[in-house]
């Protein structure tokens, strides 16, 4: 099977890269293992400000995330552009509130806001009086918040379905196979799958947690790691929450869909059961996550959880990985950093520009796979 470009991975990054490549006339196919895509499990938060959860868990990766803040802002804007082209995706960009329950947490947010402002983000600190005007439904113990105006939310089920439909409309095939090796030394590149071998002029790797292992034989050691995470969704609520909600110290994201349901997540763990089946939901995560949500927004305490699930996130070194492999230039990486659903479409556009020889829209050296040269 031969194509100009083979895209490995059919999540948001692979789908969007394939759309961009088909737009410039490339013959493109997607091959996807159908295993634990974060894209089909995620919460639809458009993250821009640094997440306190990430800063706490991965302090060594914070400098890479901080340096990438302008990319996050541009990525949220890219989603607005896509919403106009292929939406509506229930996208709302009212901003994201990171809540503080103590003076110490507020001081942490103040310092964080100064760093983010220096990177071009639009942020404000709100005291309780100001918060009452935009989010009167918050619990009485909340003392203030950081408001990042660049953040937003969307409904990922709608966005994914619309983008899949666009791929079908353009006759981009999505093949089901697991790639076990890539050879890219000669005049073309070859991906060896369990069911077939795929030849192409170039290969774009958008396989998230599966990417590091896939390109290990090509001179790079990319430390992609699977991170199983928990999610909940409630029945529709009367309260109207327009912002994306997070907390200065605790793991939580909370937002409302267009039909009123509240999606609650934010990085509570699930149990990895291997790549052949989704991660297992943990009762402790379900209970801890919804209890925290009800503390922050008391009206949530009266709602029923209608569904709970777990999905696979990907971590590496905090920054996105975009560009050609130094020892195998026919292979182009497209791996979003933390909050990969937010970053995916922009990372895809940048990687597709590399594949098609057009100029990438930002200086890619910060994201070059060469930093992982083995
Ligand atoms: C529960 C949860 C909530 C999240 N919430 C948010 C959020 O609100 N906002 C946000 O920005 N991010 C969020 N994320 C992160 C986000 O979902 C992911 O970072 C993003 O979807 C990654 O997209 P991707 O296309 O790069 O990879 P994925 O969507 O993970 O897709 C990778 C694909 O590659 C395939 N693959 C892997 N190995 C192989 C192989 N060897 N051969 C063939 N195919 C292979 C997999 O089957 C998979 O389909 C969340 C993640 C989880 C798990």
């Amino acid at each position: 099977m031969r194509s100009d470009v083979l895209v490995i991975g059919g999540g948001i990054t692979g789908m969007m890269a394939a759309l961009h490549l088909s737009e410039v006339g490339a013959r493109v196919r997607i091959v996807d293992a159908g295993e634990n895509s974060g894209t089909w499990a995620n919460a639809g938060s458009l993250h821009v400000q640094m997440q306190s959860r990430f800063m706490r868990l991965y302090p060594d990766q914070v400098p890479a995330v901080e340096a990438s803040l302008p990319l996050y802002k541009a990525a949220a804007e890219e989603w607005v552009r896509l919403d106009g082209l292929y939406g509506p995706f229930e996208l709302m960009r009212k901003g994201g509130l990171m809540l503080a329950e103590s003076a110490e947490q507020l001081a942490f947010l103040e310092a964080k806001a100064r760093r983010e402002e220096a990177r071009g983000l639009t942020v404000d600190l709100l005291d309780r009086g100001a918060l009452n005007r935009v989010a009167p439904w918050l619990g009485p113990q909340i003392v203030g918040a950081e408001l990042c105006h660049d953040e937003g939310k969307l409904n990922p089920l709608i966005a994914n379905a619309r983008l899949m439909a666009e791929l079908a409309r353009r006759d981009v095939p999505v093949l089901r196979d697991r790639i076990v090796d890539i050879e890219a030394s000669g005049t073309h590149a070859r991906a060896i799958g369990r069911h077939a071998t795929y030849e192409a002029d170039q290969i774009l790797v958008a396989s998230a947690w599966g990417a590091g292992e896939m390109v290990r034989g090509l001179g790079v050691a990319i430390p992609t790691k699977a991170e199983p995470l928990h999610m909940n969704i409630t029945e529709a609520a009367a309260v109207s929450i327009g912002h994306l909600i997070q907390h200065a110290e605790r793991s939580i994201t909370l937002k409302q869909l267009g039909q009123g349901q509240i999606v609650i997540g934010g990085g509570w763990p699930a149990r990895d059961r291997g790549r052949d089946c989704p991660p297992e939901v943990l009762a402790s995560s379900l209970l801890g996550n919804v209890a925290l949500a009800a503390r922050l927004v008391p009206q949530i305490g009266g709602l029923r959880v209608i569904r709970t699930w777990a999905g696979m996130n990907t971590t590496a070194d905090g920054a996105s990985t975009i560009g050609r492999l130094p020892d195998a230039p026919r292979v182009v990486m497209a791996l979003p950093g933390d909050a990969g659903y937010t970053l995916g479409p922009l990372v895809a556009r940048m990687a597709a520009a590399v594949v098609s020889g057009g100029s990438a829209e930002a200086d890619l050296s910060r994201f070059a796979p060469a930093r992982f040269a083995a």
Side-chain angles (χ1 to χ4, degrees):
M1 293 187 190
R2 189 162 170 93
S3 54
D4 293 344
V5 187
L6 179 75
V7 173
I8 305 178
I12 189 63
T13 315
M15 284 196 283
M16 284 312 308
L19 280 181
H20 288 301
L21 290 164
S22 83
E23 240 164 44
V24 295
R27 227 163 22 112
V28 56
R29 291 157 192 250
I30 297 175
V31 61
D32 184 87
E35 295 163 343
N36 283 333
S37 164
T39 296
W40 298 93
N42 89 94
S45 315
L46 295 180
H47 289 291
V48 178
Q49 63 179 305
M50 290 187 283
Q51 294 184 63
S52 57
R53 161 189 178 270
F54 190 87
M55 296 172 84
R56 200 173 55 252
L57 287 180
Y58 306 106
D60 52 318
Q61 298 183 24
V62 170
V65 170
E66 192 163 358
S68 300
L69 287 176
L71 190 77
Y72 282 87
K73 184 170 174 161
E77 279 152 16
E78 175 72 356
W79 267 112
V80 173
R81 194 181 73 84
L82 295 179
D83 188 56
L85 279 176
Y86 307 116
F89 304 146
E90 291 185 5
L91 190 149
M92 203 184 238
R93 204 159 170 227
K94 204 168 173 182
L97 289 168
M98 193 171 282
L99 309 178
E101 293 182 280
S102 67
E104 292 75 32
Q105 291 171 7
L106 208 50
F108 162 78
L109 291 178
E110 262 171 50
K112 187 169 86 70
R114 275 197 297 273
R115 287 159 63 183
E116 290 164 339
E117 218 162 20
R119 299 279 180 175
L121 271 47
T122 313
V123 292
D124 278 322
L125 282 161
L126 307 186
D127 60 18
R128 182 65 214 213
L131 258 185
N132 280 343
R133 286 191 286 279
V134 295
W137 29 261
L138 286 169
Q141 80 285 10
I142 311 290
V143 295
E146 179 184 354
L147 171 59
C148 175
H149 296 272
D150 306 299
E151 294 197 306
K153 60 179 181 175
L154 55 77
N155 185 326
L157 295 180
I158 294 177
N160 294 342
R162 287 186 180 256
L163 296 173
M164 285 292 284
E166 185 60 21
L167 283 170
R169 199 182 67 75
R170 295 181 193 208
D171 289 329
V172 175
V174 183
L175 310 169
R176 185 66 81 227
D177 201 353
R178 182 194 288 181
I179 301 302
V180 290
D181 201 8
I182 299 179
E183 295 168 358
S185 49
T187 53
H188 55 265
R190 184 180 290 130
I192 294 117
R194 279 174 154 185
H195 305 304
T197 295
Y198 308 86
E199 292 196 349
D201 292 331
Q202 301 186 69
I203 290 178
L204 185 144
V205 178
S207 52
W209 48 264
E213 185 188 333
M214 193 181 292
V215 297
R216 191 161 301 137
L218 299 174
V220 280
I222 304 181
T224 52
K225 209 165 152 275
E227 181 188 42
L229 298 181
H230 182 92
M231 291 297 312
N232 297 297
I233 185 166
T234 71
E235 63 187 330
V239 60
S240 175
I241 303 175
H243 297 85
L244 166 65
I245 306 293
Q246 296 185 77
H247 191 276
E249 208 170 274
R250 305 294 310 278
S251 293
I252 190 143
T253 62
L254 189 159
K255 75 191 68 70
Q256 196 164 25
L257 296 181
Q259 309 254 324
Q261 301 96 333
I262 297 176
V263 179
I264 307 167
W268 288 69
R271 184 178 296 126
D272 192 349
R273 294 188 290 186
R275 58 191 295 167
D276 290 326
C277 66
E280 184 182 13
V281 163
L282 300 175
S284 52
S285 286
L286 190 167
L287 295 171
N289 192 213
V290 295
L292 176 57
R295 191 175 91 203
L296 302 179
V297 182
Q299 288 185 57
I300 290 179
L303 299 173
R304 285 173 293 190
V305 170
I306 57 169
R307 193 159 74 89
T308 185
W309 71 97
M312 205 59 95
N313 189 32
T314 299
T315 66
D317 69 344
S320 302
T321 303
I322 311 164
R324 296 188 187 280
L325 293 185
D327 294 345
R330 288 181 181 278
V331 180
V332 173
M333 305 305 294
L335 307 177
D338 186 55
Y341 195 73
T342 305
L343 291 175
L346 184 60
V347 166
R349 184 142 74 95
M350 293 160 84
V354 172
V355 168
S356 58
S359 57
E361 293 188 16
D363 171 22
L364 288 183
S365 59
R366 182 189 305 288
F367 309 113
R371 70 185 188 274
F372 300 115

